[in-house]
Each structure stands twice: as C-alpha cells, then as structure tokens.
Amino acid sequence: IAIETIEAGEDQWLEILLDQSSAARSLGFDAANRASQGDWGDPIDWGDIQDVGGVVPGRHTDLFALADSAGVVWLFWSRHEAGTWQVVSTRWDGVVWSPIEILADGLGGSREPAAALDGTDRIWLIFARRDGVGLRGLDL
C-alpha cells in the first residue's frame, strides 16, 4: 500500500477510501483509523548523507533500527558477503558510528533481523537462519 500526498503540514487531511481499496481492511484500516490530519511526527532532516562506518558497496537488505534508553541508535541489517548472508550491526552515539560487527554468520545465511528493548534495557535480536545448505537428494 502506498499513501502519498503532495502537500504537508498540520492543515492537511489524508484519508483512505476503504470502498476503493482491496488491501486496506486486511492491513488493519477501518472507519476508526482511515483518516488523519496534521503531520506524523518530527520533521525529516534532509542534511548531507553520512558514512555509516565501514559499509562497503554490495548487497544490503532488511534494515532495522532501534533507539535504546540512552538515545543510542542501533542499526541491524543483512549483507551478502563471501557467498552467504550475514546479520551485521552498528550504532550511532550522537557523534560517530561504531565499527560494523558481524552478529550472525555461517553456511546457509542469516536474514531479516528484528530487535526489541526489554525492561532491563537489554536488546534482543531475532533473525531468520537457514541451515543444512548443500547437495541434497542427488544420487551420484
């Protein structure tokens, strides 16, 4: 689903036309939440692009961001390197990005990281991992 507007600001109105959408209801939209007025939060900083310490060109996907109680921003994502998918991470302390850390690696690959902060301020990382990669079902 794509929700787009050419206008922005507190005096704008956005409404999903439920009777004209085949997906809105299955995505959880109904009469109670189909319309909104105003902006959706903090303005976007369209400043200069920043280098996220050590990210090299290649195949990157599945980005997930989390801010902890100290305001540190953690990024988790999947990257393809050396023939497999890895889950990697870096964090922004408000001044610099930390070096990239490999959190999951190995044959088969790891993808789709998601993180949650618990009541004791610990970060829990969940991701999909494929095991048992190799030649299967071949009679040689």
Side-chain angles (χ1 to χ4, degrees), residues 1-7 13-18 21 23-24 27-29 33-36 38 40:
I1 187 170
I3 300 174
E4 299 178 7
T5 179
I6 59 172
E7 300 291 334
W13 183 263
L14 183 64
E15 182 175 357
I16 298 171
L17 302 175
L18 297 173
S21 173
L27 292 171
F29 292 100
N33 64 2
R34 70 171 189 217
S36 179
W40 290 0

Side-chain angles (χ1 to χ4, degrees), residues 3-139:
I3 300 174
E4 299 178 7
T5 179
I6 59 172
E7 300 291 334
E10 296 177 13
D11 59 343
Q12 301 304 313
W13 183 263
L14 183 64
E15 182 175 357
I16 298 171
L17 302 175
L18 297 173
D19 60 341
Q20 296 182 23
S21 173
S22 62
R25 290 189 191 278
S26 62
L27 292 171
F29 292 100
D30 59 23
N33 64 2
R34 70 171 189 217
S36 179
Q37 183 176 3
D39 69 45
W40 290 0
D42 297 330
I44 297 173
D45 177 4
W46 292 104
D48 294 336
I49 297 172
Q50 297 183 17
D51 179 22
V52 179
V55 174
V56 296
R59 295 169 65 189
H60 302 270
T61 189
D62 305 327
L63 179 65
F64 191 93
L66 174 83
D68 66 20
S69 63
V72 174
V73 176
W74 295 75
L75 296 181
F76 303 93
W77 72 95
S78 300
R79 75 174 181 189
H80 194 264
E81 187 171 295
T84 190
W85 285 99
Q86 306 168 332
V87 172
V88 296
S89 179
T90 186
R91 61 191 171 278
W92 173 255
D93 65 6
V95 180
V96 297
W97 288 101
S98 69
I100 292 175
E101 182 180 353
I102 298 172
L103 303 178
D105 192 15
L107 294 176
S110 301
R111 296 272 313 261
E112 302 172 340
L117 191 64
D118 73 12
T120 64
D121 217 23
R122 285 186 301 180
I123 296 175
W124 292 86
L125 179 66
I126 298 130
F127 56 91
R129 179 174 180 88
R130 180 178 177 205
D131 289 324
V133 176
L135 300 175
R136 291 180 287 176
L138 295 177
D139 293 322

